[in-house]
Amino acid sequence: MPRLLGGDDIRRRPEASEMLDSLLAIGGLVLLRDSVEWEGRSLLKALIKKSALRGEQVYVLGCEVSEEEFREGFASDVNSRLVYYDLFRDPLNWSKPGEAVPEGPLKALISMCKRTDGGSVTIALDSLSWLLWHIPCVTLCQALHPLSQRSVDPGNNSPIEQVRVLGLLHEELHGPGPMGALSTLAHTEVTLSGKMDQTSASIFCRRPQQRATYQTWWFSILPDFSLDLHEGLPRYSELHPDPHTTQVDPTAHLTFNLHLSKKEREARDSLTLPFQFSSEKQQALLHPGPGQTSGRIFYELDAFDDVDQEDPDDDLDI
């Protein structure tokens, strides 16, 4: 029986699996943005474990750590569902001199979807930062775009129901250009931060045909890569104004007044504008009073005026 929290808005306390399910629900590219203070490989491995326990085939492109170190901490049932492509031991393809760099990592990335028998597939990239240092950003984005679609046809094999790409990105190593390009491709962005021994994940999610949503979860990652959510509910909000929040008046500290008082509004409504053709003005023009004469225009010809009626455009010198 889940424990209930008191207050006006009584809700069930979220379970740790709900956070992982929310990250894995949409598919596409899930961008895990970590930093020097808060590493993201543990969360990446937690997502891999969740995908493997759901019966999905998981492909890992390992670049920054060895395969033994990456598999450490996983149970045998999880390791049995991992297909590991090791780029850590031979990053420059010295063992295969016939293959040019950077086509080696890119070919391994593309071949992941072609070695499956269908069903949902999870691809883990450890890390996108390593790939950005060896592959041009445009080339990498072109390879990620078809992989991050919701349905992919891997050639002669049966179509895949859903492809999910988990990309670890060390955001402090890159400028705004690559970060913006990858952010545009991502369906979900997770920014890691925290305080003390508590990690927070700020999740920005773009759902098809729905509003974008934003969540913040506080958690700890256990040695077996399961999550322990901390007390309290996650902060959740859609990207539209919250009716319960106090709205700031942008006209509060202006040097001029944008609002009219009741007397000023009445004076404005009773004012006759110059371009308004009222009935009084119409009568004055149609029936001029005594002493009023109709206006006439007197024009004195200039020396260069052309008064030839047969060729009025003679002065244009055509």
Side-chain angles (χ1 to χ4, degrees), residues 138-177:
V138 175
T139 306
L140 179 60
C141 290
Q142 290 174 348
L144 287 175
H145 179 69
L147 294 180
S148 61
Q149 299 305 303
R150 295 183 63 84
S151 297
V152 176
D153 185 2
N156 297 327
N157 297 333
S158 59
I160 302 173
E161 295 179 2
Q162 188 180 66
V163 176
R164 184 182 303 104
V165 181
L166 307 176
L168 181 62
L169 183 66
H170 312 312
E171 60 179 357
E172 295 173 330
L173 301 180
H174 311 287

Side-chain angles (χ1 to χ4, degrees), residues 10-228:
I10 299 179
R11 298 169 56 187
R12 179 177 57 85
R13 181 191 176 190
E15 301 295 336
S17 59
E18 293 184 23
M19 172 184 168
L20 299 178
D21 289 336
S22 65
L23 293 176
L24 300 176
I26 301 179
L29 177 60
V30 179
L31 203 61
L32 304 178
R33 303 168 61 164
D34 69 352
S35 60
V36 175
E37 292 82 5
W38 302 99
E39 59 89 18
R41 185 169 291 110
S42 298
L43 181 58
L44 174 65
K45 297 177 73 171
L47 292 170
I48 291 174
K49 176 184 175 181
K50 182 67 174 180
S51 299
L53 294 179
R54 289 165 56 171
E56 300 180 4
Q57 190 68 52
V58 181
Y59 297 88
V60 180
L61 186 65
C63 309
E64 295 185 348
V65 297
S66 64
E67 181 177 358
E68 293 78 9
E69 181 180 350
F70 191 88
R71 289 181 178 270
E72 184 178 357
F74 286 142
S76 58
D77 56 343
V78 176
N79 275 321
S80 62
R81 303 200 64 87
L82 299 187
V83 179
Y84 198 89
Y85 289 82
D86 191 0
L87 294 179
F88 177 76
R89 299 183 186 278
D90 188 17
L92 298 179
N93 281 358
W94 285 354
S95 62
K96 300 177 182 179
E99 296 186 10
V101 177
E103 292 183 359
L106 193 58
K107 286 182 178 179
L109 180 64
I110 297 175
S111 66
M112 289 182 176
C113 277
K114 298 182 179 180
R115 300 188 180 185
T116 180
D117 296 329
S120 298
V121 174
T122 296
I123 299 175
L125 307 177
D126 184 19
S127 67
L128 282 172
S129 295
W130 189 95
L131 293 174
L132 281 174
W133 284 109
H134 294 81
I135 301 175
C137 181
V138 175
T139 306
L140 179 60
C141 290
Q142 290 174 348
L144 287 175
H145 179 69
L147 294 180
S148 61
Q149 299 305 303
R150 295 183 63 84
S151 297
V152 176
D153 185 2
N156 297 327
N157 297 333
S158 59
I160 302 173
E161 295 179 2
Q162 188 180 66
V163 176
R164 184 182 303 104
V165 181
L166 307 176
L168 181 62
L169 183 66
H170 312 312
E171 60 179 357
E172 295 173 330
L173 301 180
H174 311 287
M179 293 294 297
L182 292 174
S183 177
T184 303
L185 288 177
H187 292 76
T188 306
E189 293 185 67
V190 182
T191 303
L192 297 176
S193 59
K195 59 182 180 180
M196 304 297 290
D197 58 343
Q198 299 182 1
T199 303
S200 70
S202 300
I203 304 173
F204 178 70
C205 183
R206 304 178 181 92
R207 296 179 180 272
Q209 308 299 328
Q210 297 183 22
R211 292 178 180 268
T213 58
Y214 180 84
Q215 291 177 282
T216 300
W217 300 77
W218 290 88
F219 61 94
S220 297
I221 300 179
L222 303 179
D224 62 345
F225 300 108
S226 59
L227 265 61
D228 179 26

